[in-house]
Amino acid sequence: MVNNQLKKVLDDKKLSFSDLKRLLEEKEIKINNSQLSLYSSGKRNPKNKKIWIEIAEVLHVDLQEIITDINSYLAVMGEISENSTEKNGKTEKEKINDSLYQELLSLVDESMPSELEKVQRYCGLAATFEKLGENIIEEGAVVIVPSGDSVVKKTNPAIAEQVRVNAALIKLDEFFEEKRASKPKNGGGKDWSKFTK
């Protein structure tokens, strides 16, 4: 279940599910009012989580304004990035993320599912942290939000989300630091560094 504020965002913009359906159909996304109502109430999840990004786009809001719960937001973003098929030409960022994954993988016991899950969670959080940072750079620290007939300036919600993601990363860092500390230096051999200086 995705905790979301879709109904509130629609109400704030004086829009109905029918209006949203029409906006999505302009982007060639077929959806009906009852589906939107079920997604909004959290009674049903869309099979393709990318629909949340499309909804945010047509409503001209950040996804974080619709999915305000950090765990739901991270779950949606994680599923979108897992299902992404745009993996043909790797960008520099993707190569760095692969390096991070390999580095963390080398620290854990791969036969332990809980340790593998921590590696995947850390990489997912790191990618989300980057995306939020890009959003902050693109949108700015202060964003203008329509509120009825006027507009209101408020702090970019991505900043608060980035702080929360950072806190989760710091917590996981403690686990990996312990792993680094317990790992023998020089590939398991003796530490000869004091003799080679």
Side-chain angles (χ1 to χ4, degrees), residues 16-118:
S16 66
F17 288 127
S18 296
D19 296 323
L20 178 55
K21 174 183 179 272
R22 185 179 40 75
L23 290 168
L24 289 167
E25 283 174 349
E26 286 171 13
K27 292 186 79 177
E28 297 180 8
I29 296 168
K30 300 263 186 257
I31 198 160
N32 61 47
N33 290 2
S34 61
Q35 284 174 297
L36 290 170
S37 176
L38 289 167
Y39 299 160
S40 170
S41 65
K43 290 179 182 168
R44 185 174 294 163
N45 284 325
K47 285 179 188 164
N48 184 351
K49 298 290 187 287
K50 258 191 173 165
I51 189 70
W52 289 114
I53 290 175
E54 301 291 353
I55 288 170
E57 203 173 284
V58 298
L59 293 176
H60 304 288
V61 296
D62 290 328
L63 181 58
Q64 297 95 329
E65 288 181 53
I66 297 174
I67 303 175
T68 55
D69 175 69
I70 184 67
N71 295 323
S72 296
Y73 175 81
L74 292 175
V76 168
M77 293 308 288
E79 194 167 321
I80 289 168
S81 62
E82 276 175 32
N83 294 341
S84 177
T85 54
E86 300 129 1
K87 302 221 173 176
N88 301 343
K90 287 196 173 180
T91 65
E92 205 54 42
K93 231 183 265 177
E94 287 171 324
K95 289 176 190 169
I96 290 166
N97 290 342
D98 282 351
S99 300
L100 174 65
Y101 181 80
Q102 292 306 321
E103 179 200 339
L104 296 178
L105 201 59
S106 72
L107 296 172
V108 300
D109 179 350
E110 292 184 49
S111 66
M112 300 275 293
S114 62
E115 294 197 0
L116 285 174
E117 188 272 334
K118 281 184 172 69

